Amino acid sequence: MSAKRTLHEGWTVSGDPGAPVAVDSIPASVPGEVVSALLDAGLVEDPYTDDAERGVAWVGRHDWTYRTSFAFEPGEWDGIDLVFDGLDTVARVSLNGTAVGETANMHRRYRFDARSAIREGANDLEVAFTSPYAYAEAQRDRLGDRPNAYPEPGNFIRKAACNFGWDWGPNLAGAGIWRPVRLETWTTARIAEVVPRVSVEAGLGVVEFAVDLQRAADADLELVCTAGDQSTTVDVPAGAGVAQARVEVPDPELWWPHDRGGQPLYDVAVSLRSGGEELDAWSSRIGFRTVELDTEPDADGRPYTLKVNGEAVWVKGVNWIPDEALFGRIDAARLKRRLRQAKAAGIDYIRVWGGGTYESEDFYRLCDELGLMVGQDFLFACAAYPEEEPFWSEVEAEARDNLARLAPHPSLVTWTGNNENIWGWHDWNWQESLGGRTWGAGYYHDLLPKLVAEVDGTRPYWPGSPYSGVPELHPNEQAHASVHIWDVWNDRDYVHYRDWRPRFVAEFGYQAPPTWATVRRMATDEPLQAESPNLLWHQKAADGQAKLQRGLDAHLPPVRDFDDWLYFTQVNQARAVRLGAEHFRSLQPYCTGAVVWQLNDCWPVTSWAAIDGEGRLKPLWYALRDAYADRIVTFQPEGDGVKLVAINDAAEPWKGVIGFWKCSPQGRIIGRALMQIRIDARDTAELVLEGHAVPKDGEFLVTGRERFPRATWFTKEDKDMDWPAADFTAATALVDGGVAVTITAETVLRDVCVFADRLDPDAVVDKALVTLIPGEQATFTVMSEAIAASPELTAALTAKPVLRAIND
């Protein structure tokens, strides 16, 4: 029987003699990276605070060596392998002074034969990393430069592009053993790889096992392949290195996205045997479901419709970046929290963006269990990539590896060739600067689709995001397949999302700073202002502060202090994305999904995220929860007037009455209307408002307090509305684990929020962005034992800067 032993203990790391900080055998966590080791040793400052990121810029320009020792007792082994699930990035692996392997790709798993170098007793293991900058710049000089959205050489090394910095992330391009490492021993033969190809055929669950073997002897073998409670045995004759088996499961329960059904998972296993003895075993879990991507041209252009089990799904998505800039800190508990936050916001689809990583087993296991669909990009982003060797072979190896590794997971529904590179070739002045040099087209249109079909064969592939379906079309043509919408954030007011009529939106977003507690982690300036130097260091977007101010000027009253600026920018972000998401939903079924940029952050930063780098919910998260609810109503412009659109994404028909009021700026109800609805499952209905239902200048519309999220329509921006000064009463009451804050409105209250993280960084509030008219109440539940235990903190929940309304 094979044996596997992790090698995560006793590691140290040392720097090269030219490093500006002498680093000699300091402790290093594995999995982990150099920057974390330096930070733990007190040799660098926390790169997440103020501008300390500058102080680690040298790390990626130097070589690093990891070392550990382990004991080994010889046995009757035919194979002794060192196995690395991830090395970042260019490394030589040596055992007892003998080189056993080299690597040049962060995104692959590696297995090295250690038989010739291992010895009885103590063994010295060394992983020597070459500077990623030195390697990438040498490749760039050899092959000729290629365009990149950032002045970094990240497109010349198979390493996460965002390691070199992004418009939301730091440059921490170091090195390290970033995924598990172990010693594996085996006899006779071992299972090298299993790809379970899962399908549903006429109500029958089918698992086609493709098994690769590594042999040390030509013995006859057998494979026992199991799916659920069904199994089959396959004989593998002497000398054969591959085998296939088919297992059928009658009447399987189908796996669905969480808003469509359940997530039953079935155990699958492969046992390799010889002479009745088990030599090796592999196991995983699968879900039975079908997935299709309908992109057949129609009368309007080309759709991009995701179908699960034959049912079209309106995608309520977010983009995902690595959840930490220091990847070794990302564990299952952190991922579980983040993905549960996503599901709680009504999100059913996560696009793993191409500038990060092929996500971990923990990530995909959790998405399987939570019913979150995943679209995984191949790892190319915002740059031209060389196709010459060694890159072509490296890309093929990493694609094969990850296609096989992720094949069991039902949550994985699509593969996409790249992020914005086809768009870049068309629109970003690449063609002249490339001068005929390769840029990645061969990957996206040739290599990757062939590999997806060959290795997986059960999931659709799309060449790029965005991409319109054929090379002759502009890749961001809104009538054709997937688009990215960035003219709004970069150049225009967010109301211009309504100018778009897309088939599927794979990226759109709007910025805001993180929560107060996170701001204070990232910037210690006193007094804190929007233009404080350290706050600006954590604004990586080009002209980001100016774009935030443009949005404030268009919609909100002048800010009086930093507290206003923080609150108003966060409200603007939430309003912008909600407006866009509701507009795109109102276009269904013509439009088939929206994927917000972005769910999460990797450090404390002003960005497009709904959950900040410390894991705290920004107001945008609450707006997403409203916009992605199964049942919503939304007011949308119709010519010079307005219409009400009711959207039912539930499995049952929606019957009932929608009531809404027309109000004066003071909140006095000056008109009422009712809409009798009967909407089929997964359908919409709309009503164009006429006559007295249409609000006049200064008036506004608001739906009643029904269970679906409240919809509003304002004829003027807040900066121009004649709002009364906010008047309300606030009462607190202790509840289990926290405090309930009940607000009773005496006047209109716009976008009420309770920022409890100002009092307790760990506090969580159940709602935000609540608009009330006079006489209405809203109760905010603040989960915080620290606040509940303090009368002073409890009282602070009812006043600025914790309790806010736009017109306060």
Side-chain angles (χ1 to χ4, degrees):
M1 179 65 180
S2 64
K4 300 177 182 181
R5 169 189 168 194
T6 58
L7 300 177
H8 293 168
E9 305 302 322
W11 287 91
T12 63
V13 65
S14 299
D16 65 44
V21 176
V23 183
D24 185 16
S25 296
I26 63 172
S29 295
V30 170
E33 60 286 307
V34 170
V35 172
S36 289
L38 297 172
L39 185 59
D40 292 342
L43 297 177
V44 296
E45 295 182 5
D46 182 356
Y48 290 5
T49 299
D50 293 336
D51 65 350
E53 178 197 353
R54 300 175 192 265
V56 296
W58 57 273
V59 172
R61 296 192 172 275
H62 291 271
D63 299 341
W64 299 94
T65 302
Y66 277 71
R67 297 184 179 90
T68 192
S69 295
F70 64 91
F72 179 74
E73 295 298 327
E76 298 297 321
W77 304 113
D78 292 321
I80 304 172
D81 299 335
L82 283 168
V83 182
F84 294 87
D85 287 343
L87 290 172
D88 178 15
T89 292
V90 181
R92 173 179 285 111
V93 178
S94 300
L95 184 62
N96 299 318
T98 299
V100 297
E102 295 184 345
T103 75
N105 194 327
M106 178 183 185
H107 307 304
R108 290 177 56 187
R109 296 172 292 180
Y110 290 92
R111 177 180 293 268
F112 302 123
D113 185 349
R115 287 175 298 172
S116 62
I118 203 163
R119 62 195 179 197
E120 183 177 1
N123 286 262
D124 297 324
L125 177 59
E126 177 182 286
V127 183
F129 290 97
T130 297
S131 155
Y133 272 98
Y135 176 89
E137 289 170 349
Q139 295 291 341
R140 181 189 63 194
D141 294 344
R142 180 177 70 88
L143 297 172
D145 201 5
R146 270 43 169 203
N148 192 333
Y150 301 94
E152 298 288 342
N155 47 336
F156 289 91
I157 184 172
R158 294 310 297 155
K159 177 178 173 64
C162 64
N163 283 170
F164 293 90
W166 216 260
D167 58 5
W168 38 257
N171 185 329
L172 298 175
I177 304 172
W178 77 288
R179 279 182 169 164
V181 54
R182 59 194 171 274
L183 184 72
E184 295 190 4
T185 53
W186 52 278
T187 59
T188 308
R190 72 174 189 89
I191 298 171
E193 187 171 83
V194 178
V195 179
R197 301 184 179 108
V198 181
S199 61
V200 181
E201 302 174 5
L204 192 68
V206 177
V207 185
E208 299 277 1
F209 291 92
V211 184
D212 288 349
L213 303 176
Q214 183 179 356
R215 284 177 173 269
D218 284 337
D220 289 333
L221 305 172
E222 65 177 16
L223 290 173
V224 179
C225 299
T226 303
D229 58 4
Q230 305 292 311
S231 65
T232 190
T233 300
V234 176
D235 292 327
V236 185
V242 297
Q244 295 185 342
R246 176 183 172 101
V247 178
E248 297 179 349
V249 177
D251 300 318
E253 294 183 78
L254 298 183
W255 185 96
W256 290 91
H258 68 82
D259 51 355
R260 298 284 169 139
Q263 293 78 50
L265 298 172
Y266 289 76
D267 293 328
V268 289
V270 176
S271 174
L272 176 64
R273 301 177 182 180
S274 178
E277 177 186 358
E278 184 172 78
L279 302 176
D280 200 2
W282 172 93
S283 63
S284 189
R285 289 192 304 173
I286 62 163
F288 289 103
R289 56 99 185 96
T290 64
V291 58
E292 309 161 68
L293 191 59
D294 178 8
T295 60
E296 286 300 311
D298 59 20
D300 297 306
R302 187 184 300 269
Y304 188 94
T305 304
L306 185 63
K307 295 182 178 180
V308 178
N309 300 323
E311 185 175 300
V313 175
W314 205 94
V315 167
K316 304 167 192 167
V318 287
N319 282 269
W320 173 273
I321 65 171
D323 205 53
E324 252 278 357
L326 301 175
F327 292 168
R329 295 178 175 179
I330 304 173
D331 59 14
R334 182 185 184 96
L335 292 171
K336 186 174 186 179
R337 181 184 179 200
R338 199 69 65 247
L339 293 170
R340 282 184 167 179
Q341 289 171 321
K343 180 176 179 178
I347 292 159
D348 62 11
Y349 178 96
I350 294 179
R351 175 190 172 220
V352 182
W353 166 77
T357 68
Y358 302 100
E359 268 298 341
S360 67
E361 291 298 310
D362 286 331
F363 174 92
Y364 273 97
R365 173 182 56 80
L366 288 163
C367 288
D368 293 343
E369 295 169 356
L370 294 171
L372 292 166
M373 298 179 289
V374 183
Q376 173 75 58
D377 283 9
F378 287 100
L379 299 184
F380 306 91
C382 299
Y385 286 80
E387 299 172 31
E388 292 83 355
E389 294 294 349
F391 294 106
W392 186 275
S393 294
E394 285 293 344
V395 168
E396 179 173 0
E398 82 177 49
R400 287 184 179 278
D401 187 14
N402 287 283
L403 284 164
R405 178 175 70 88
L406 299 178
H409 296 285
S411 56
L412 177 56
V413 294
T414 61
W415 286 95
T416 299
N418 71 86
N419 175 77
E420 297 189 346
N421 293 347
I422 300 173
W423 189 12
W425 187 83
H426 274 262
D427 278 1
W428 300 352
N429 301 315
W430 286 11
Q431 297 180 40
E432 182 177 353
S433 63
L434 280 168
R437 291 193 295 273
T438 61
W439 59 275
Y443 300 140
Y444 317 138
H445 297 297
D446 180 18
L447 178 65
L448 295 176
K450 289 179 180 177
L451 293 177
V452 172
E454 174 189 336
V455 179
D456 185 330
T458 68
R459 295 174 174 89
Y461 169 84
W462 197 244
S465 186
Y467 186 62
S468 294
V470 291
E472 293 76 22
L473 277 174
H474 188 280
N476 206 39
E477 166 55 52
Q478 63 177 310
H480 294 268
S482 62
V483 300
H484 291 190
I485 300 177
W486 285 114
D487 63 332
V488 169
W489 161 251
N490 285 316
D491 303 310
R492 312 176 76 192
D493 185 45
Y494 63 71
V495 298
H496 289 285
Y497 281 130
R498 295 188 178 123
D499 295 346
W500 283 76
R501 187 174 166 81
R503 305 305 298 267
F504 184 92
V505 186
E507 283 188 19
F508 76 106
Y510 203 89
Q511 261 204 354
T515 60
W516 169 263
T518 302
V519 165
R520 293 314 279 160
R521 158 83 187 276
M522 76 185 197
T524 62
D525 305 77
E526 293 292 352
L528 197 57
Q529 299 174 343
E531 301 300 318
S532 294
N534 289 314
L535 199 68
L536 292 178
W537 184 259
H538 291 253
Q539 167 60 278
K540 298 291 187 177
D543 297 322
Q545 299 299 87
K547 293 171 184 176
L548 290 175
Q549 189 61 49
R550 182 189 70 214
L552 296 180
D553 293 342
H555 296 280
L556 292 162
V559 300
R560 297 157 292 190
D561 52 27
F562 182 78
D563 292 335
D564 273 4
W565 182 84
L566 183 63
Y567 168 49
F568 284 3
T569 52
Q570 290 179 338
V571 167
N572 241 12
Q573 178 190 38
R575 289 181 180 180
V577 174
R578 180 172 179 174
L579 181 147
E582 291 187 356
H583 167 63
F584 303 139
R585 289 194 73 180
S586 76
L587 298 176
Q588 65 185 74
Y590 177 87
C591 177
T592 57
V595 187
V596 173
W597 186 272
Q598 63 208 68
L599 175 69
N600 57 329
D601 269 327
C602 65
W603 74 317
V605 65
T606 296
S607 83
W608 298 264
I611 304 170
D612 72 23
E614 300 285 301
R616 300 184 179 97
L617 306 179
K618 294 162 67 171
L620 171 57
W621 182 91
Y622 300 90
L624 277 180
R625 187 177 62 180
D626 284 351
Y628 281 167
D630 281 349
R631 290 175 173 171
I632 67 169
V633 295
T634 175
F635 293 106
Q636 295 290 324
E638 180 72 6
D640 294 330
V642 62
K643 64 183 178 182
L644 186 149
V645 183
I647 301 164
N648 180 28
D649 200 34
E652 301 80 26
W654 186 4
K655 305 174 186 178
V657 175
I658 296 175
F660 61 94
W661 305 316
K662 183 168 69 170
C663 300
S664 70
Q666 292 70 40
R668 183 170 59 89
I669 296 173
I670 55 178
R672 292 179 172 86
L674 297 176
M675 177 181 177
Q676 187 78 33
I677 61 168
R678 178 184 174 87
I679 309 176
D680 291 338
R682 324 294 187 194
D683 204 355
T684 65
E686 63 180 52
L687 172 69
V688 177
L689 305 188
E690 298 176 342
H692 295 299
V694 178
K696 299 177 181 178
D697 192 42
E699 297 171 348
F700 65 95
L701 301 176
V702 58
T703 55
R705 302 293 287 170
E706 290 89 352
R707 295 181 62 183
F708 53 81
R710 165 167 274 183
T712 57
W713 178 266
F714 297 90
T715 54
K716 289 184 176 180
E717 302 295 342
D718 283 298
K719 66 185 181 66
D720 301 318
M721 285 290 281
D722 187 20
W723 291 129
D727 189 11
F728 59 90
T729 61
T732 61
L734 297 181
V735 297
D736 188 20
V739 181
V741 183
T742 299
I743 309 299
T744 303
E746 303 295 337
T747 62
V748 173
L749 299 177
R750 281 286 283 132
D751 282 332
V752 180
C753 295
V754 177
F755 295 108
D757 66 289
R758 283 178 169 267
L759 308 176
D760 172 14
D762 296 324
V764 178
V765 186
D766 69 332
K767 59 174 65 74
L769 304 168
V770 177
T771 290
L772 301 173
I773 63 174
E776 290 187 323
Q777 282 188 342
T779 298
F780 298 78
T781 302
V782 179
M783 301 308 297
S784 166
E785 293 184 356
I787 295 176
S790 167
E792 292 79 9
L793 294 180
T794 298
L797 289 170
T798 65
K800 292 168 61 177
V802 177
L803 177 62
R804 292 303 309 261
I806 292 297
N807 55 319
D808 63 12

